[in-house]
Amino acid sequence: MPNPNLRTISKRCILFLLIQLLIYNVLVQNNEIRTAEEGDTVILPCSVDPTAAGGDVFWRNEEEHQVVVDIIMGKEDFNDQSPKYRGRVKTFTTEIAEGNFSILLSNVTLSDSGIYTCYAPKPVQRVELSVTEKKIRPGNGDVRSSASSMFLLGFSLLYSLAFS
Ligand SMILES: *[C@@H]1O[C@H](CO)[C@@H](O)[C@H](O)[C@H]1NC(C)=O
Ligand SMILES: *[C@@H]1O[C@H](CO)[C@@H](O)[C@H](O)[C@H]1NC(C)=O
């Protein structure tokens, strides 16, 4: 005979875990992480029910309270844009009508790292962008140095053949 008290406790436990899982999923759904290297182009995603948004979406950099881009009545508006983002932000104009307010940020720099929020007008999407230094591609250097050592080897071989 299982202890009825124990059964209630485990039921509560499971319910508690399910609620935690639900809260976790809701939070994570609206929190995206994007990583990039200096000079890359990244998409900062934001999907809004087009009827609910009324066509106005505001992209902001959280820490510095900078205007990344405004989308007014479905059109990009750069009037208040921070100089930091000038010429580097594009919207997907044909997708806006479908509620796709994602933006394209090009030529990212280390200082672009941070939290970006898409407001419509309440915050609907938070994107954490992390830009890292451009990695030196391991391939190129190695190929070049092995090519030059092959050249040296061949050269010394020819040299020794010619002059011995
Ligand atoms: C929004 O549009 C961009 C560019 O076409 C695309 O990459 C992205 O997947 C779209 N997002 C959604 C949710 O459809
Ligand atoms: C990318 O940014 C760097 C540093 O801000 C700048 O020197 C370079 O001209 C930019 N490149 C393009 C293609 O905009």
Side-chain angles (χ1 to χ4, degrees):
M1 228 4 225
N3 184 338
N5 272 343
L6 208 63
R7 224 187 299 166
T8 346
I9 288 173
S10 62
K11 252 188 212 158
R12 277 201 192 137
C13 244
I14 288 169
L15 194 69
F16 179 76
L17 283 176
L18 280 178
I19 289 170
Q20 290 293 309
L21 200 70
L22 200 71
I23 290 172
Y24 179 77
N25 277 337
V26 166
L27 286 178
V28 168
Q29 242 170 28
N30 292 322
N31 189 21
E32 292 271 345
I33 296 174
R34 289 288 182 273
T35 54
E37 280 181 20
E38 284 175 295
D40 281 354
T41 294
V42 290
I43 290 183
L44 306 183
C46 178
S47 289
V48 180
D49 175 358
T51 55
D56 292 353
V57 162
F58 310 92
W59 272 100
R60 296 290 179 270
N61 175 326
E62 275 322 306
E63 283 102 348
E64 300 164 26
H65 302 289
Q66 282 169 329
V67 176
V68 181
V69 65
D70 290 336
I71 300 167
I72 307 293
M73 308 279 281
K75 289 210 171 65
E76 351 175 272
D77 182 327
F78 297 114
N79 284 331
D80 298 324
Q81 189 187 41
S82 155
K84 183 177 169 181
Y85 298 106
R86 197 132 293 162
R88 296 197 293 133
V89 176
K90 282 205 182 92
T91 60
F92 298 102
T93 34
T94 56
E95 311 237 7
I96 285 175
E98 321 289 331
N100 185 345
F101 290 89
S102 307
I103 57 171
L104 207 61
L105 178 62
S106 57
N107 199 16
V108 293
T109 63
L110 297 180
S111 69
D112 287 335
S113 296
I115 311 290
Y116 292 80
T117 311
C118 167
Y119 294 89
K122 62 178 188 340
V124 287
Q125 180 74 60
R126 183 177 178 275
V127 186
E128 200 178 320
L129 177 64
S130 157
V131 181
T132 56
E133 271 178 48
K134 195 148 197 73
K135 285 190 205 79
I136 312 291
R137 302 278 168 232
N140 295 346
D142 289 350
V143 167
R144 212 172 297 141
S145 65
S146 69
S148 60
S149 54
M150 282 303 275
F151 175 78
L152 274 180
L153 192 71
F155 184 78
S156 40
L157 209 66
L158 279 178
Y159 188 88
S160 56
L161 282 176
F163 294 97
S164 56

